[in-house]
């Protein structure tokens, strides 16, 4: 096979229009597993393929990229950088974005390898070209450059190179290109900061994080919104949250929520501020966050009753997130009448209105009602049961009516609520005492999409998995549910199949 690849390369170099020969080489390379390809191409040079990248023929260039992707993946990162350093660097300035992405992907492989990375750490021009790729018009190119630089930062020498050399000045110069490019650099810095407290220290010392934090209170509301998103990502790590707390960022965002009431443009950035605290509450402590920043909880309740669908949606998602934890459920319960009115409004949104809002309401309700077996204390079971009954006079019928509507996402959303209560004794008692409900669960003819069948299967699994199900539902229903589970989500009975065939 090595001989045929060599002969194909010779054929390619001898013709003026090599499309056909390139196709043959591509086919030959794809027929060899990557593990075996390494031996087949050992000692061979592929300069002819690299030289054919310098063409205005897009088809030729893209064929060369596909061939080089296959070949370069078969080379070890050390072999790759030692033999094709100049070609990779040249690829970064190629007019075709696919060539740039190929070069950046391979550079990413090299910087991820402990023995190969030193070859790049000593190549200042190549690293400068990678940083400059962040300002490329095509987002896919910029993303690949960011990814490669993140990999470089996984080692101390890589961090030193990026932040303790004049490459930091290169980054800061690239930032001045435009608002979009500035945020790409912030994205890189936030991603690097998230890895460890040490990497966060490098980023903080560079001044880039304090620059990002200052954007939170900038004049441009759209920039403010994007900055909030970045800071929320930074808060995903514990060391990131500690740093933000030390910088007074939580207080700053809380004050921004308060000040939003008098800002006519607040709808552009307010959702991001609420999401920030919602994520913070789930990662740290809902009680601590709601007590320390009451403006957040008040705003969530206010937005849930807002007429603006965009604001309602953010509130629903945040309430679902808060209520997904036991502590969050208890925090919401403590607000008494405030939460009751919000829950009633959630129920109204679930029953009528725009489909997207209905789906988000159903998802939030299912998160609020979910209670893992280990958390099923008397108090918490009484809490979820009382919330379910606040939804409507006949909550089971209300949710079942939603599940019969011809929208798969509504059908699945309603089934997820049933799945949540199916794991709890009071939910099982309601189900068994509702006429026709067990037949509804066992009926495979409702919901014909894969998602609907999967959602129904989850519901059955939730019932069967509960330790109280046999006693409450009775052995006959329990056996039928276990049979359903054994047959799997997509089972079709033979009789039904024959009947359907005849009808067709």
């Amino acid at each position: 096979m090595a001989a045929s690849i060599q002969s194909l390369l010779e054929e390619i170099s001898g013709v003026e229009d090599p499309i056909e020969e390139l196709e043959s080489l591509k086919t030959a390379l794809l027929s060899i597993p990557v593990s075996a390809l390494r031996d087949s191409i050992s000692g061979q040079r592929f300069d002819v393929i690299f030289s054919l990248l310098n063409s205005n023929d897009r088809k030729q260039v893209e064929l060369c990229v596909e061939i080089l992707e296959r070949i370069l993946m078969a080379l070890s990162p050390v072999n790759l950088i030692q033999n094709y350093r100049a070609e990779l660097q040249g690829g970064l300035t190629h007019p075709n974005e696919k060539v740039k992405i190929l070069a950046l992907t391979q550079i990413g492989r090299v910087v991820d390898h402990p023995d190969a990375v030193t070859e790049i750490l000593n190549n200042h021009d190549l690293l400068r070209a990678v940083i400059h790729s962040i300002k490329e018009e095509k987002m896919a190119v910029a993303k690949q450059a960011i990814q490669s630089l993140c990999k470089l930062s996984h080692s101390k020498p890589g961090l030193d190179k990026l932040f303790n050399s004049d490459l930091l000045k290169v980054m800061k110069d690239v930032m001045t290109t435009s608002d979009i490019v500035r945020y790409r650099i912030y994205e890189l810095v936030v991603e690097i900061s998230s890895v460890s407290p040490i990497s966060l220290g490098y980023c903080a010392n560079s001044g880039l994080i304090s620059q990002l934090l200052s954007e939170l209170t900038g004049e441009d509301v759209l920039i403010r919104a994007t900055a909030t998103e970045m800071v929320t990502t930074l808060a995903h790590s514990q060391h990131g949250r500690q740093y933000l707390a030390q910088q007074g960022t939580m207080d700053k965002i809380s004050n921004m929520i308060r000040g939003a009431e008098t800002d006519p443009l607040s709808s552009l950035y307010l959702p991001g501020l609420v999401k920030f605290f919602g994520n913070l509450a789930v990662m740290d402590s809902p009680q601590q966050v709601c007590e320390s920043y009451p403006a957040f909880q008040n705003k969530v309740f206010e937005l849930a009753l807002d007429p603006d669908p965009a604001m309602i949606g953010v509130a629903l998602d945040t309430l679902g997130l808060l209520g997904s934890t036991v502590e969050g459920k208890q925090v919401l319960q403590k607000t008494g009448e405030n939460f009751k009115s919000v829950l009633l409004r959630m129920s109204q949104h679930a029953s009528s209105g725009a489909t997207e809002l209905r789906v988000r309401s159903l998802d939030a309700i299912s998160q609020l009602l979910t209670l893992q077996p280990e958390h099923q204390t008397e108090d918490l079971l009484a809490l979820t049961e009382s919330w379910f009954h606040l939804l409507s006079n006949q909550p089971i019928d209300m949710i079942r009516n939603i599940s019969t509507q011809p929208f798969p996402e509504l059908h699945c959303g309603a089934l997820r609520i049933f799945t949540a209560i199916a794991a709890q004794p009071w939910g099982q008692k309601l189900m068994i005492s509702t006429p026709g409900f067990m037949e509804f669960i066992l009926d495979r003819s409702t919901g014909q999409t894969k998602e609907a069948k999967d959602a129904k299967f989850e519901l059955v699994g939730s019932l069967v998995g509960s330790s109280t199900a046999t006693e409450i539902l009775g052995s006959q229903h329990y056996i039928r549910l276990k049979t359903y589970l054994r047959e799997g989500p997509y089972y079709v009975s033979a009789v039904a199949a024959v009947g359907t065939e005849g009808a067709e």
Side-chain angles (χ1 to χ4, degrees):
M1 187 54 82
S4 70
I5 289 174
Q6 183 60 47
S7 60
L8 283 167
L9 285 169
E10 285 165 11
E11 276 178 46
I12 288 166
S13 56
V15 294
E16 204 170 309
D17 180 12
I19 297 288
E20 203 177 310
E21 287 75 10
L22 286 169
E23 292 276 17
S24 301
L25 177 58
K26 179 183 148 185
T27 305
L29 290 167
L30 289 172
S31 68
I32 312 168
V34 173
S35 52
L37 191 56
R38 190 168 289 124
D39 298 328
S40 300
I41 61 174
S42 178
Q44 291 189 42
R45 294 284 307 173
F46 292 88
D47 300 336
V48 62
I49 308 297
F50 278 105
S51 69
L52 288 172
L53 288 171
N54 302 316
S55 164
N56 294 325
D57 185 334
R58 195 171 176 86
K59 169 100 167 125
Q60 178 178 306
V61 170
E62 289 181 1
L63 266 174
C64 290
V65 167
E66 288 175 66
I67 288 166
L68 288 168
E69 269 174 349
R70 189 78 176 164
I71 291 165
L72 300 181
M73 280 308 286
L75 297 177
S76 73
V78 175
N79 193 334
L80 172 65
I81 193 64
Q82 285 174 348
N83 288 296
Y84 295 106
R85 183 191 284 107
E87 287 80 359
L88 291 178
Q89 196 166 332
L92 297 177
T93 53
H94 194 283
N96 185 303
E97 74 272 13
K98 290 193 175 179
V99 179
K100 287 173 181 160
I101 290 169
L102 170 71
L104 287 163
T105 306
Q106 297 305 323
I107 290 166
R109 283 183 65 218
V110 173
V111 298
D112 215 16
H113 192 282
D115 297 329
V117 68
T118 49
E119 300 272 351
I120 279 191
L121 287 171
N122 300 328
N123 192 330
H124 201 77
D125 291 344
L126 187 142
L127 285 173
R128 191 167 59 236
V130 173
I131 293 169
H132 275 281
S133 299
I134 294 175
K135 63 182 183 185
E136 283 287 336
E137 195 182 336
K138 298 280 184 191
M139 191 59 198
V141 177
K143 282 271 184 207
Q144 201 60 57
I146 289 168
Q147 214 174 320
S148 297
L149 291 167
C150 283
K151 287 177 180 175
L152 180 70
S153 72
H154 289 170
S155 68
K156 189 178 183 302
L159 284 165
D160 283 329
K161 189 71 182 173
L162 275 179
F163 295 103
N164 292 342
S165 76
D166 69 341
L167 285 181
L168 179 59
K169 185 183 181 307
V170 175
M171 274 200 276
K172 289 182 175 179
D173 288 344
V174 166
M175 283 179 94
T176 62
T177 309
S178 67
D179 287 345
I180 288 171
V181 174
R182 186 163 82 258
Y183 273 90
R184 288 176 185 173
I185 296 284
Y186 286 146
E187 186 187 329
L188 167 66
V189 169
V190 166
E191 209 164 313
I192 291 172
S193 299
S194 301
V195 174
S196 71
I198 292 168
S199 55
L200 172 60
Y202 275 89
C203 295
N205 292 337
S206 73
L208 291 171
I209 295 189
S210 51
Q211 190 178 330
L212 166 61
L213 296 181
S214 71
E215 305 249 22
L216 281 173
T217 48
E219 290 300 308
D220 188 322
V221 288
L222 290 176
I223 284 178
R224 217 184 291 177
T226 315
T228 307
E229 228 171 275
M230 295 280 171
V231 173
T232 302
T233 306
L234 188 57
H236 283 163
S237 65
Q238 194 179 352
H239 60 270
R241 291 196 293 282
Q242 284 172 342
Y243 174 82
L244 291 172
Q246 287 160 7
Q247 302 300 310
T249 306
M250 279 62 159
D251 294 320
K252 188 188 276 188
I253 292 179
S254 179
N255 290 334
M256 286 168 72
I257 288 177
R258 279 199 195 92
E261 285 169 24
T262 55
D263 184 354
L265 296 172
S266 65
S267 63
L268 295 168
Y269 61 84
L270 192 55
L273 304 180
V274 170
K275 279 180 194 169
F276 172 82
F277 277 118
N279 282 302
L280 202 64
V282 170
M283 286 180 285
D284 272 354
S285 153
Q287 187 174 336
Q288 198 182 322
V289 168
C290 291
E291 282 176 5
S292 305
Y293 309 102
F296 156 64
Q297 188 176 297
N298 296 339
K299 184 54 74 178
V300 173
F301 284 0
E302 193 185 302
L303 294 182
L305 305 171
D306 196 287
D308 181 351
M311 293 299 153
I312 300 166
V314 171
L316 291 171
D317 296 347
T318 308
L319 286 163
L321 203 56
L322 272 176
S324 64
T325 67
V326 166
E327 194 182 306
K329 285 176 170 57
Q330 291 165 332
V331 167
L332 292 171
Q333 178 74 342
K334 271 183 204 164
T335 65
E337 293 304 315
N338 284 347
F339 182 62
K340 283 182 184 175
S341 56
V342 164
L343 198 55
L344 192 60
R345 185 61 65 90
M346 286 169 87
S347 167
Q348 289 164 1
H349 289 314
S351 298
S352 59
T355 305
E356 191 203 343
L357 215 50
R358 297 182 71 184
V359 171
R360 284 166 92 168
S361 298
L362 292 168
D363 282 347
I365 292 167
S366 71
Q367 284 177 292
L368 289 165
L369 295 173
T370 298
L371 206 54
Q372 298 305 326
E374 64 271 22
H375 299 139
Q376 290 187 13
T377 61
E378 205 174 309
D379 287 352
L380 285 169
L381 285 166
L383 180 150
T384 51
E385 184 176 6
S386 69
W387 284 1
F388 187 70
H389 285 289
L390 282 171
L391 296 174
S392 146
N393 292 333
Q394 298 290 334
I396 281 257
D397 291 339
M398 177 197 122
I399 305 297
R400 185 162 50 171
N401 287 343
I402 295 170
S403 80
T404 57
Q405 291 173 16
F407 299 103
E409 56 270 55
L410 290 178
H411 178 78
C412 294
L415 289 182
R416 277 193 287 274
I417 293 177
F418 286 140
T419 303
I421 69 166
Q424 301 171 58
W426 64 262
Q428 294 159 16
K429 285 173 186 166
L430 265 180
M431 288 176 173
I432 198 69
S433 64
T434 303
F437 194 81
M438 295 313 293
E439 287 68 25
F440 159 74
I441 291 178
L442 292 160
D443 181 3
R444 287 186 180 271
S445 68
T446 60
Q448 290 304 301
T449 64
K450 179 186 181 299
E451 292 74 19
K453 289 175 188 290
D454 288 341
K456 178 70 80 73
F457 192 69
E458 286 277 317
L459 167 54
V460 173
S462 182
L463 280 168
V464 171
S466 167
S467 59
T468 55
T470 326
E471 185 192 335
I472 294 170
L473 302 177
S475 55
Q476 196 181 347
H477 286 305
Y478 188 74
I479 290 164
R480 288 178 69 196
L481 288 164
K482 280 202 84 165
T483 305
Y484 190 116
L485 207 60
R486 193 178 62 249
E487 288 168 348
Y490 316 118
Y491 176 78
V492 179
S493 73
V495 176
V498 170
T500 310
E501 216 170 273
E504 281 173 4

